[in-house]
């Protein structure tokens, strides 16, 4: 009797594991293209500021030996040059170790009849020494484009799609833990080099999945918080705050000042004195300043920055310009629990709580997850191709959509880097041209994947094309901007060379992987030939 009960329990357990395995594999294949995109774009934009400096700084090197122009002089010069809507706000993002430019954002006057809609925003890159507008921020769109791919896929409802993908990814992680629960520690580092190829791929998928589990769980949960927060916000506004959205924002720690202009002019010099005092504080890194009702007696300035003495502490101060009165502050002694929790999650998500070494570790882990996704797709394709009830057309479709899109994203990113470098800065539509090149490369690579039967050969070809494009990018860097890159290095702006080192490492790894794939292809060819000879002799 006890034996029958035990057998019954074992059968139930095996059935549950089998169902979880099927769910895990199907969910993995369905979300794999977008999940790969999210992790791949996220890995690159861990170095957002470095990529931005690589794109812009060689085009407009800063003469660091000059004295920095006063911020007030820069801002008021830009206000004189653009039709600024003084009913709106003005934001200035400060230069940093990675970015030697001011970024000035001006809400422009809206056309007649369009007053109820958000108007055009002028986003200016300004040389901090000369005060000259060197470009529009949108002209150098590579870093922003990849970052938007990461969090909203550059689609209108992309934020919600990424949130749903995060939800399914979380389920895939939990189901993977249950599937391998019994052998999670016993086979933790198992990688069978002496077995057939499927065993090696399965071990690679499992080992990467286990070793990155804390990292992936953190990303899945934080992705849910960021991308589906609007769902919770709507529910709170409707059911708890009775439709009062401002009350929700206030309780969540977001300060709102909805005051009207007095229409009495005011000298804004005291505002810049407050800003300079904040910038002189060695423990406070001012990131940006927002002006409300600029040049009016109702003017308020908002100063945001990082408190360097604490982990993930973002301070915020509001001042009345006319009197210098501190209206509101959010710091280590006066913070909101909701807002503080979100800041901690964001800091962990972006890996910006320590030096570049942590971001390099995050990058390696993110790329490992991309490899895990690609290997999982290959395992699924191998399994389904052995089943007689699965059509060859459906196999080709999944191969093109999953494996093709994964490889295509890598190549398309390299093409985007090349376009960002070689398209002249004087062309107004250069950002659009870069995006078109990215999309065309991705679509073409996916289309070719439908016509290539050998997955390893396809991946090797895509990697080879990527390596060639990156080599061309490095050559273009030094042929076009060698003296500027050397000058930037001497002035302490070394992110340009850092990005080039990253490209060189990717080229090296790419060549190594191509050689490995070529060896595997030759080994499989010899095995297939030997099998044919044996069959021939037996006949």
């Amino acid at each position: 009797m006890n034996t029958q009960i035990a057998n019954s329990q074992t059968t139930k357990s095996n059935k549950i594991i089998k169902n979880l395995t099927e769910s895990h594999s199907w969910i993995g294949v369905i979300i794999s293209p977008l999940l790969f995109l999210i992790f791949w774009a996220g890995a690159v934009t861990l170095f957002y500021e470095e990529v931005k400096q690589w794109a812009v700084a060689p085009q407009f090197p800063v003469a660091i030996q000059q004295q920095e122009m006063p911020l007030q002089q820069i801002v008021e010069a830009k206000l004189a040059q653009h039709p600024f809507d003084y009913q709106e706000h003005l934001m200035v993002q400060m230069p940093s170790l990675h970015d030697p430019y001011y970024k000035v954002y001006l809400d422009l006057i809206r056309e007649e009849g369009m007053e109820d809609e958000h108007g055009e925003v002028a986003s200016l890159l300004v040389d901090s020494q000369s005060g000259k507008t060197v470009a529009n921020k949108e002209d150098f769109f590579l870093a922003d484009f990849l970052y938007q791919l990461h969090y909203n896929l550059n689609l209108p409802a992309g934020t919600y799609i990424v949130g749903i993908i995060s939800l399914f990814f979380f389920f895939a992680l939990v189901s993977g833990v249950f599937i391998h629960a019994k052998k999670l520690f016993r086979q933790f580092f198992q990688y069978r080099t002496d077995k057939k190829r499927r065993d090696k791929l399965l071990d690679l998928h499992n080992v990467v999945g286990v070793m990155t589990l804390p990292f992936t769980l953190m990303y899945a949960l934080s992705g849910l918080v960021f991308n589906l927060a609007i769902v919770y916000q709507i529910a709170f506004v409707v059911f708890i705050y009775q439709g009062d959205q401002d009350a929700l924002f206030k309780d969540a720690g977001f300060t709102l000042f909805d005051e009207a202009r007095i229409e009495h002019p005011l000298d804004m010099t005291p505002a810049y004195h407050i800003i300079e005092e904040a910038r002189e504080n060695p423990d406070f890194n001012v990131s940006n300043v927002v002006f409300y009702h600029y040049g009016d007696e109702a003017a308020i300035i908002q100063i945001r920055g990082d408190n360097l003495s604490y982990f993930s502490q973002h301070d915020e101060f509001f001042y009345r310009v006319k009197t210098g009165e501190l209206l509101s502050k959010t710091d280590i002694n006066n913070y909101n629990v909701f807002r503080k929790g979100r800041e901690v999650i964001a800091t962990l998500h972006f890996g910006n709580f320590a030096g570049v070494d942590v971001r390099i570790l995050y990058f390696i882990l993110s790329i490992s997850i991309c490899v895990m996704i690609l290997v999982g797709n290959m395992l699924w394709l191998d399994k389904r191709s052995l089943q007689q009830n699965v059509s060859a057309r459906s196999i080709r479709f999944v191969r093109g959509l999953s494996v093709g899109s994964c490889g295509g994203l890598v190549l398309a990113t390299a093409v985007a880097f090349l376009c960002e470098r070689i398209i002249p800065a004087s062309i107004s539509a250069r950002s659009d041209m870069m995006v078109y090149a990215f999309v065309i490369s991705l679509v073409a690579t996916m289309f070719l994947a439908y016509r290539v039967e050998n997955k390893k050969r396809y991946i090797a070809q895509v990697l080879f094309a990527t390596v060639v494009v990156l080599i061309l990018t490095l050559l273009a860097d030094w042929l076009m901007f060698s003296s500027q890159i050397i000058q930037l290095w001497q002035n302490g702006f070394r992110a340009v060379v850092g990005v080039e080192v990253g490209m060189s490492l990717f080229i090296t790894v790419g060549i190594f992987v191509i050689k490995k794939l070529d060896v595997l292809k030759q080994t499989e060819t010899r095995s297939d030939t030997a099998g044919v000879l044996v069959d021939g002799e037996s006949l």
Side-chain angles (χ1 to χ4, degrees):
M1 183 68 176
N2 291 334
T3 303
Q4 291 179 347
I5 293 174
N7 290 337
S8 176
Q9 291 176 343
T10 302
T11 302
K12 281 185 178 180
S13 176
N14 291 337
K15 187 175 181 181
I16 291 173
I17 295 298
K18 182 179 179 181
N19 291 336
L20 280 175
T21 303
E22 281 293 308
S23 301
H24 180 88
S25 61
W26 275 104
I27 288 175
V29 168
I30 291 170
I31 69 172
S32 63
L34 293 181
L35 188 63
F36 187 97
L37 169 59
I38 292 166
F39 270 99
W40 173 258
V44 178
T45 51
L46 284 167
F47 302 95
Y48 173 90
E49 295 292 349
E50 287 82 358
V51 172
K52 178 68 76 175
Q53 185 184 137
W54 172 85
V56 180
Q59 306 266 6
F60 311 103
V62 174
I64 203 71
Q65 67 273 12
Q66 296 181 10
Q67 184 177 0
E68 184 173 305
M69 182 175 286
L71 178 60
Q72 183 174 7
Q73 188 175 343
I74 291 175
V75 170
E76 294 185 351
K78 303 312 163 190
L79 289 174
Q81 295 168 6
H82 297 272
F84 176 62
D85 186 352
Y86 284 87
Q87 300 292 335
E88 298 293 340
H89 64 274
L90 179 159
M91 187 173 80
V92 179
Q93 188 172 332
M94 300 297 174
S96 67
L97 293 175
H98 298 295
D99 195 343
Y101 309 100
Y102 283 106
K103 296 185 182 70
V104 181
Y105 300 89
L106 304 172
D107 286 312
L108 304 183
I109 295 175
R110 286 159 285 194
E111 297 179 7
E112 187 176 352
M114 306 287 287
E115 289 82 4
D116 294 335
E117 299 183 15
H118 197 286
E120 183 182 352
V121 178
S123 305
L124 312 175
L125 281 174
V126 181
D127 189 321
S128 58
Q129 271 68 44
S130 66
K132 178 183 177 182
T133 300
V134 297
N136 291 321
K137 181 176 177 290
E138 286 76 13
D139 291 343
F140 296 88
F141 190 51
L142 176 61
D144 294 297
F145 173 69
L146 293 173
Y147 178 54
Q148 289 176 23
L149 279 179
H150 172 66
Y151 76 86
N152 69 2
L153 309 176
N154 274 304
L155 296 175
T159 301
Y160 305 114
I161 296 173
V162 172
I164 294 170
I165 294 296
S166 299
L167 183 62
F168 281 109
F169 179 50
F170 180 72
F171 174 81
L173 292 175
V174 173
S175 62
V177 170
F178 276 102
I179 291 167
H180 300 286
K182 291 184 179 179
K183 51 186 179 182
L184 193 62
F185 296 101
R186 179 164 49 89
Q187 298 182 3
F188 185 83
F189 288 106
Q190 183 182 26
Y191 184 77
R192 292 166 286 191
T193 59
D194 56 341
K195 299 294 183 182
K196 59 184 180 179
R197 184 176 67 90
R198 179 175 173 80
D199 290 336
K200 294 179 184 179
L201 291 178
L202 183 59
D203 289 344
L204 178 61
H205 183 81
N206 294 342
V207 168
V208 172
V210 172
M211 294 183 68
T212 61
L213 188 59
F215 179 74
T216 49
L217 282 173
M218 181 273 291
Y219 263 132
L221 292 173
S222 58
L224 281 172
V225 171
F226 294 144
N227 292 85
L228 293 183
I230 187 66
V231 177
Y232 314 136
Q233 179 182 323
I234 292 172
F236 288 159
V237 169
V238 173
F239 296 106
I240 298 178
Y241 289 87
Q242 304 299 315
D244 190 348
Q245 188 173 357
D246 290 345
L248 171 64
F249 284 152
K250 184 177 180 180
D251 287 348
F254 296 96
T255 305
L256 302 172
F257 286 97
D258 188 15
E259 299 181 0
R261 287 178 65 87
I262 300 175
E263 300 300 341
H264 289 169
L266 177 71
D267 180 13
M268 293 295 290
T269 301
Y272 293 96
H273 291 161
I274 296 172
I275 294 169
E276 286 306 312
E277 288 180 7
R279 295 181 73 181
E280 290 171 1
N281 184 349
D283 296 326
F284 182 58
N285 178 37
V286 178
S287 57
N288 60 66
V289 177
V290 183
F291 296 87
Y292 300 90
H293 305 313
Y294 194 94
D296 189 81
E297 281 193 5
I300 294 172
I301 60 168
Q302 175 185 5
I303 300 176
R304 299 171 180 163
D306 301 321
N307 190 327
L308 304 179
S309 301
Y310 302 95
F311 174 79
S312 183
Q313 179 57 45
H314 306 293
D315 292 350
E316 181 180 74
F317 304 92
F318 287 84
Y319 292 90
R320 177 84 62 188
V321 176
K322 183 179 180 180
T323 62
E325 175 190 1
L326 177 62
L327 300 176
S328 174
K329 67 178 179 178
T330 302
D331 57 14
I332 191 65
N333 298 315
N334 180 27
Y335 66 87
N336 178 275
V337 175
F338 171 84
R339 184 167 177 173
K340 180 65 177 178
R342 192 179 186 280
E343 289 174 354
V344 170
I345 292 173
T347 300
L348 290 172
H349 187 91
F350 294 108
N352 55 6
F353 54 88
V356 69
D357 48 349
V358 171
R359 286 187 287 141
I360 291 173
L361 176 61
Y362 268 40
F363 179 83
I364 293 171
L365 290 171
S366 297
I367 296 300
S368 300
I369 294 165
C370 291
V371 172
M372 180 183 71
I373 294 168
L374 182 58
V375 169
N377 287 340
M378 294 174 68
L379 287 169
W380 190 92
L381 289 168
D382 286 344
K383 181 179 178 181
R384 299 297 163 181
S385 61
L386 297 175
Q387 298 177 356
Q388 296 182 355
N389 60 338
V390 179
S391 67
R393 181 178 296 178
S394 62
I395 293 293
R396 282 198 303 272
F397 175 79
V398 175
R399 182 173 62 239
L401 186 63
S402 57
V403 181
S405 62
C406 293
L409 284 166
V410 177
L411 176 58
T413 303
V415 170
F417 269 82
L418 178 60
C419 291
E420 186 79 330
R421 175 53 73 229
I422 65 175
I423 298 176
S426 57
I427 297 179
S428 59
R430 69 187 309 275
S431 59
D432 293 333
M433 296 170 66
M434 183 272 295
V435 173
Y436 293 150
F438 179 94
V439 174
I440 291 170
S441 302
L442 174 59
V443 173
T445 310
M446 290 177 63
F447 176 77
L448 290 174
Y450 286 98
R451 307 182 64 85
V452 176
E453 295 295 333
N454 191 308
K455 298 185 294 297
K456 289 192 298 299
R457 181 185 302 164
Y458 160 78
I459 294 171
Q461 291 171 344
V462 171
L463 278 176
F464 178 77
T466 304
V467 166
V468 170
V469 172
L470 289 178
I471 291 173
L472 291 175
T473 305
L474 291 176
L475 289 174
D477 256 0
W478 286 93
L479 289 173
M480 297 170 65
F481 303 110
S482 56
S483 60
Q484 291 91 331
I485 293 172
I486 294 171
Q487 178 187 341
L488 286 166
W489 178 271
Q490 293 172 344
N491 289 338
F493 297 107
R494 298 175 177 173
V496 176
V497 175
V499 172
E500 292 177 339
V501 169
M503 291 184 191
S504 301
L505 290 173
F506 191 93
I507 290 170
T508 304
V509 173
I511 293 172
F512 174 78
V513 173
I514 290 169
K515 289 183 176 180
K516 281 289 185 182
L517 289 171
D518 187 57
V519 170
L520 284 174
K521 184 177 67 175
Q522 293 176 4
T523 302
E524 289 181 5
T525 302
R526 286 196 297 268
S527 299
D528 293 342
T529 304
V532 170
L533 290 174
V534 169
D535 290 342
E537 290 173 358
S538 64
L539 287 173

